[in-house]
Amino acid sequence: MRKRRIISYLLVVWMAFLLAFPMTTAFASSKVYHVPIHDEVERGLHAFLERAFKEAEDNYAEAIILDIHTPGGFVNAASDIAMLMDESSIRTIAYINKDAHSAGAFLALHADEIYMVPNGTIGAAAVIDSAGNAADLKANSAWLAQMKAAAETSGRDPKYALAMADTSMDLPEFRAGGDNLLTLSASEALEVGYSEGTVSNFQELLAATELKGSDIVPVDPTFSEKLARFITNPIIVPILLSIASLGLVMELYSPGFGVPGIMGLSSLGLFFFGHMVAGFAGYETLLIFIAGLALVIAEFFVPGGIVGILGGVLVLLSLLLAGADMSQMIMSIFIAFIVAIIGMVILMKFFGKKMHVFNKLVLKDATTTEEGYVSNINRTDLLGKVGKSITPLRPAGTMQLGNERIDIVSEGSYIDAGKNVEIIKVEGSRIVVRQTDKEMEE
């Protein structure tokens, strides 16, 4: 009986444990990831959001709230982020916490739901180039198609998305058409179905989306990711490469290794660091660059030029592979190349600089007369002396001067043997004579 009682107790405890475990799981708080999309939309932001979405998926998050406040950004970066949002199975909510313009509006349309603060705006999504001008027809047509598809996918009327990017869409009731793009206020967005609601703050948003009581997991970019976003910005990349090229060019004109060289290598180091953190470049790209740099340095010690050319090709290849966009990298490298040429011209033309790096490669020593080096005795003491030719001069031959036989050359004409000749010029070992009527010296 006692054994049965003990076994019964154990069974009760075991059943209670089995029941308690799933209940604990069932009543656990759901996780909501709060992710900021602030400032400019660029490729570095994609790397940060990729990490945030992965963390949310790994931790079975119920929703991801994208806190949007951006003036826009780059189309290619926005397209990649939109694809990341579309592929996620987690509920995504766009919380427009002031402005979602251009690429920001495009991203908001890819969310499952949109909520805005009372003074928030969404729209103004025309494509412009790096100079601030309207993009060409091809790029504009592709962007309009993407804006329309984003609206249709989320079940919204696409005409408003098109009006955000195309001034030919006439919506006078919302100040759009003519020269104006559509930008909707919070109340207007709610009216046309481009918003699910207007909320004053984040807590109201949680209540409106039935996520109140959830564990809020804030995801902020790390210092490395912030730095990577800055470095990989298409405006910063050519500046960074220009500093690198200018620093290395200045180093070629400086004795030893100093500040310009450190500046150039540091800029290249920052370039690769930012692109590796952002996920655009891997260690293999860095190894290609190091191998190319080593070959360029080896060219200073190995004659031929092939090693240096191969090294230069590897360096350029590594920069192209590290970049987020091939066409932008080509333009950045071209700008850096122009800056390097201008720097070389200024250093040589205006400062009279010479490449000190070649001092060790080119023999600078010379055996000059000033240094006491004489290749042969310069017989200037013979000038004006008269002797007798002992061989015909055609024009070279030999003359007798006192007890000395001297190799000579005539001024150009033939001189027969036995004629009196006068020494008129001495150029090292070359002694020039002409026939004369002067008497031979004893």
Side-chain angles (χ1 to χ4, degrees):
M1 288 292 293
R2 189 176 178 181
K3 287 184 178 179
R4 287 180 181 177
R5 190 176 298 171
I6 292 171
I7 292 172
S8 298
Y9 284 143
L10 291 174
L11 287 173
V12 170
V13 171
W14 177 250
M15 291 297 294
F17 176 79
L18 290 177
L19 290 171
F21 186 81
M23 286 175 65
T24 302
T25 305
F27 288 102
S29 297
S30 59
K31 288 184 172 63
V32 174
Y33 276 67
H34 184 198
V35 184
I37 298 180
H38 295 167
D39 303 320
E40 203 170 54
V41 176
E42 29 66 35
R43 297 300 293 265
L45 177 64
H46 175 265
F48 161 63
L49 291 177
E50 192 172 36
R51 174 176 69 84
F53 272 73
K54 187 176 186 309
E55 285 184 14
E57 291 170 357
D58 291 344
N59 290 282
Y60 304 101
E62 183 177 349
I64 298 174
I65 297 177
L66 300 174
D67 193 319
I68 301 176
H69 176 45
T70 173
F74 296 90
V75 172
N76 53 1
S79 298
D80 289 344
I81 294 171
M83 187 181 300
L84 182 68
M85 295 170 64
D86 294 340
E87 291 174 351
S88 177
S89 59
I90 301 174
R91 176 187 179 191
T92 55
I93 300 168
Y95 172 43
I96 300 177
N97 192 10
K98 188 63 175 74
D99 299 317
H101 295 166
S102 191
F106 176 71
L107 295 179
L109 289 175
H110 277 271
D112 298 319
E113 304 160 52
I114 299 175
Y115 288 84
M116 301 174 66
V117 295
N119 62 343
T121 58
I122 179 173
V127 182
I128 58 174
D129 58 22
S130 57
N133 302 314
D136 58 37
L137 291 176
K138 182 178 178 181
N140 191 56
S141 175
W143 179 244
L144 288 174
Q146 290 184 67
M147 287 291 291
K148 181 180 179 183
E152 290 176 339
T153 303
S154 56
R156 308 181 195 278
D157 189 339
K159 74 176 182 180
Y160 298 106
L162 290 172
M164 291 178 181
D166 187 1
T167 56
S168 67
M169 295 292 293
D170 191 25
L171 297 172
E173 65 274 26
F174 296 115
R175 306 162 307 282
D179 295 328
N180 298 320
L181 297 168
L182 175 64
T183 301
L184 297 172
S185 66
S187 59
E188 290 169 340
L190 185 61
E191 179 186 339
V192 301
Y194 269 53
S195 167
E196 273 65 47
T198 303
V199 294
S200 298
N201 51 51
F202 190 73
Q203 292 304 318
E204 282 192 22
L205 173 68
L206 293 176
T209 54
E210 299 181 351
L211 294 172
K212 200 165 186 177
S214 302
D215 286 340
I216 306 302
V217 182
V219 183
D220 294 313
T222 63
F223 173 76
S224 296
E225 288 172 334
K226 289 179 181 177
L227 183 60
R229 285 189 64 181
F230 175 77
I231 291 171
T232 56
N233 189 298
I235 298 173
I236 300 300
V237 169
I239 295 174
L240 205 59
L241 292 181
S242 296
I243 293 173
S245 64
L246 189 59
L248 294 176
V249 163
M250 290 176 66
E251 186 60 38
L252 294 176
Y253 291 87
S254 304
F257 188 82
V259 175
I262 294 173
M263 180 178 70
L265 292 179
S266 297
S267 297
L268 288 172
L270 281 173
F271 170 84
F272 280 101
F273 169 79
H275 285 75
M276 289 177 72
V277 169
F280 305 136
Y283 286 106
E284 67 282 356
T285 308
L286 182 60
L287 288 175
I288 292 173
F289 172 76
I290 293 173
L293 188 62
L295 289 174
V296 171
I297 294 172
E299 176 59 32
F300 294 123
F301 307 98
V302 179
I306 297 176
V307 173
I309 293 172
L310 180 59
V313 170
L314 289 179
V315 168
L316 290 176
L317 179 63
S318 67
L319 293 174
L320 291 172
L321 292 176
D325 183 89
M326 184 69 73
S327 60
Q328 288 178 350
M329 278 307 303
I330 292 173
M331 180 59 66
S332 298
I333 292 172
F334 178 74
I335 292 171
F337 180 70
I338 295 299
V339 169
I341 292 177
I342 293 173
M344 290 178 68
V345 171
I346 291 173
L347 287 171
M348 290 188 296
K349 188 76 173 177
F350 298 100
F351 294 96
K353 296 287 187 179
K354 295 182 179 180
M355 287 192 178
H356 288 274
V357 72
F358 294 121
N359 286 350
K360 295 181 180 179
L361 308 181
V362 179
L363 182 62
K364 297 291 185 179
D365 296 331
T367 55
T368 62
T369 304
E370 290 78 4
E371 297 292 332
Y373 295 96
V374 181
S375 59
N376 56 282
I377 298 174
N378 199 352
R379 303 284 303 274
T380 56
D381 59 301
L382 298 179
L383 285 172
K385 300 284 186 179
V386 178
K388 188 181 291 291
S389 60
I390 56 177
T391 64
L393 304 183
R394 300 189 178 92
T398 307
M399 69 176 289
Q400 185 75 38
L401 183 62
N403 298 322
E404 185 180 3
R405 292 168 64 93
I406 302 173
D407 293 327
I408 57 173
V409 61
S410 74
E411 210 176 8
S413 60
Y414 171 80
I415 301 175
D416 203 356
K419 301 294 184 181
N420 289 347
V421 290
E422 179 184 4
I423 298 174
I424 60 172
K425 188 184 297 184
V426 176
E427 298 173 336
S429 61
R430 185 170 179 266
I431 299 174
V432 182
V433 299
R434 71 159 63 106
Q435 187 172 340
T436 179
D437 295 331
K438 295 181 181 179
E439 291 298 324
M440 177 178 156
E441 298 182 8
E442 297 297 332

